[in-house]
């Protein structure tokens, strides 16, 4: 899946570059490129999500969680288990939403594009999202099982380090207290401004604790909608839309072009040589190295 996604990204680069050339040189844009790129953005992301998670490349703050994993392995495993559990829940909701979108598109033979110019069926796109979400959810499940197993091993550790302090019970109590406070706050009557402030505070806490930033933002968005609307069904419908519909934007096609630019700069050593020229030009200026940088 990751290889397919990578090849798809390169294909998007070629299509975008061909469209730019056709627009500016031939004064004739390629038909359907915005629609194809818009659908491709979300497709390539979901094809590569599971492998990204498997490689441990989900962005997160590691200041606290790495310390826990080394110094308090039991607490570290419990923290990671909780984070992975949230990931499982998030992608279960996404799978449910994508299945509905796929079923509807399949049943009604839904098409996208510009009628009379270029059109294409969209159920393969939703199928890709569904498969990617399922694979990512399974990867979260495997990581959850692995962390639970690691917590069991750390708890049975016969060494002298297996004291309450070394196990990190204090951190676990803090985590439980945070969960209890959030539970009572979600059941309280809060204004939208108070919900926003609470979300910012929780975002900082969860990110600092080591939850993957994407999962933390999704969870907080879900809870925020739930608290404002008082209905989890609305939040459940919004989650798949945020995970797919809002990413179907042609302007996100600039991301693969930045990737291509980075590859060219790295392969040609342009960045290194540019820095050397700037350093030479600023060699007689105080702070020249900083200016060159």
């Amino acid at each position: 899946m990751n290889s397919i996604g990578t090849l798809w990204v390169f294909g998007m680069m070629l299509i975008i570059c061909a469209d730019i050339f056709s627009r500016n040189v031939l004064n004739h844009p390629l038909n359907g490129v915005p629609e194809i790129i818009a659908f491709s953005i979300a497709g390539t992301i979901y094809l590569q999500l599971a492998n990204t998670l498997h490689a441990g490349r989900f962005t997160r703050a590691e200041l606290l969680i790495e310390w826990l994993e080394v110094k308090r392995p039991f607490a570290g495993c419990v923290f990671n288990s909780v984070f992975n559990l949230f990931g499982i829940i998030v992608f279960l909701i996404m799978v449910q939403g994508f299945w509905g979108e796929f079923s509807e598109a399949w049943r009604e033979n839904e098409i996208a594009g510009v009628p009379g110019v270029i059109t294409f069926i969209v159920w393969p796109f939703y199928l890709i999202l569904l498969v990617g979400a399922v694979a990512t959810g399974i990867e979260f499940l495997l990581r959850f099982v692995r962390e639970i197993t690691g917590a069991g091993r750390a708890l049975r550790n016969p060494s002298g380090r297996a004291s309450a302090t070394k196990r990190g019970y204090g951190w676990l109590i803090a985590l439980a207290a945070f969960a209890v406070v959030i539970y009572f706050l979600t059941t309280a009557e809060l204004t939208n401004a108070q919900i926003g402030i609470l979300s910012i505070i929780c975002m900082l806490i969860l990110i600092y604790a080591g939850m993957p930033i994407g999962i933390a933002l999704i969870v907080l968005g879900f809870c925020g909608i739930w608290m404002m609307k008082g209905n989890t069904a609305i939040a459940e419908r919004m989650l798949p839309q945020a995970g797919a519909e809002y990413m179907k934007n042609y302007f996100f096609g600039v991301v693969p072009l930045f990737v291509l630019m980075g590859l060219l700069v790295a392969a040609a050593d342009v960045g290194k040589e540019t820095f050397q020229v700037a350093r030479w030009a600023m060699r007689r200026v105080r702070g020249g190295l900083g200016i060159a940088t």
Side-chain angles (χ1 to χ4, degrees):
M1 289 174 57
N2 186 59
S3 300
I4 296 173
T6 302
L7 292 175
W8 198 347
V9 169
F10 277 99
M12 289 168 53
M13 294 179 189
L14 295 176
I15 293 174
I16 293 173
C17 291
D19 183 50
I20 293 172
F21 178 83
S22 182
R23 285 175 183 271
N24 293 279
V25 177
L26 305 179
N27 197 27
H28 186 277
L30 299 179
N31 294 327
V33 170
E35 291 80 9
I36 293 173
I37 297 301
F39 277 89
S40 297
I41 290 294
T44 54
I45 289 174
Y46 277 87
L47 280 174
Q48 300 181 81
L49 265 182
N51 184 74
T52 303
L53 177 61
H54 179 74
R57 295 186 180 275
F58 267 33
T59 305
R60 68 173 185 172
E62 298 177 337
L63 180 64
L64 175 61
I65 193 65
E66 281 194 347
W67 181 85
L68 287 175
E69 290 171 348
V70 174
K71 300 295 185 180
R72 307 289 187 269
F74 176 68
C77 289
V78 173
F79 269 62
N80 282 324
S81 299
V82 172
F83 300 155
N84 289 319
L85 180 60
F86 275 109
I88 294 171
I89 295 172
V90 165
F91 279 92
L92 275 177
I93 297 173
M94 285 192 173
V95 166
Q96 182 182 10
F98 292 155
W99 174 255
E101 296 285 352
F102 167 72
S103 301
E104 182 179 356
W106 172 276
R107 185 172 57 254
E108 299 182 1
N109 200 26
E110 183 180 347
I111 62 173
V114 181
V117 180
I118 182 172
T119 58
F120 50 90
I121 56 177
V122 299
W123 67 259
F125 163 75
Y126 288 113
L127 179 61
I128 290 172
L129 300 188
L130 178 62
V131 172
V134 169
T136 308
I138 292 174
E139 182 61 31
F140 268 116
L141 177 61
L142 294 176
R143 293 172 71 90
F144 174 77
V145 172
R146 187 162 58 247
E147 294 296 340
I148 288 294
T149 304
R153 286 197 301 266
L155 193 61
R156 295 190 302 268
N157 185 4
S159 67
R161 298 178 57 191
S163 63
T165 302
K166 293 297 183 181
R167 287 175 177 170
Y169 286 160
W171 289 99
L172 298 182
I173 293 172
L175 179 63
F178 174 74
V180 171
V181 170
I182 295 302
Y183 171 77
F184 282 108
L185 287 175
T186 54
T187 58
E189 294 291 336
L190 300 177
T191 65
N192 290 348
Q194 291 172 331
I195 293 173
I197 295 173
L198 177 63
S199 297
I200 294 174
I201 295 173
C202 291
M203 177 187 68
L204 296 175
I205 293 174
L206 292 177
I207 291 177
Y208 177 76
M211 178 179 284
I213 295 176
I215 299 299
L217 296 179
I218 291 173
V219 170
L220 290 173
F222 180 91
C223 293
I225 295 173
W226 172 21
M227 293 173 67
M228 286 189 291
K229 301 298 183 180
N231 190 339
T232 58
I234 297 176
E236 290 176 5
R237 288 196 298 268
M238 289 292 295
L239 185 54
Q241 291 182 7
E245 298 298 326
Y246 299 149
M247 288 192 294
K248 291 192 302 185
N249 193 322
Y250 175 69
F251 295 105
F252 288 150
V254 71
V255 176
L257 295 181
F258 272 111
V259 174
L260 176 61
M261 181 180 66
L263 289 174
L264 294 176
V265 169
D269 271 343
V270 174
K272 179 180 178 181
E273 294 177 357
T274 302
F275 176 77
Q276 289 176 344
V277 170
R279 185 179 62 177
W280 178 84
M282 298 292 177
R283 68 187 186 280
R284 298 186 183 279
V285 179
R286 178 175 295 181
L289 180 61
I291 296 174
T293 304

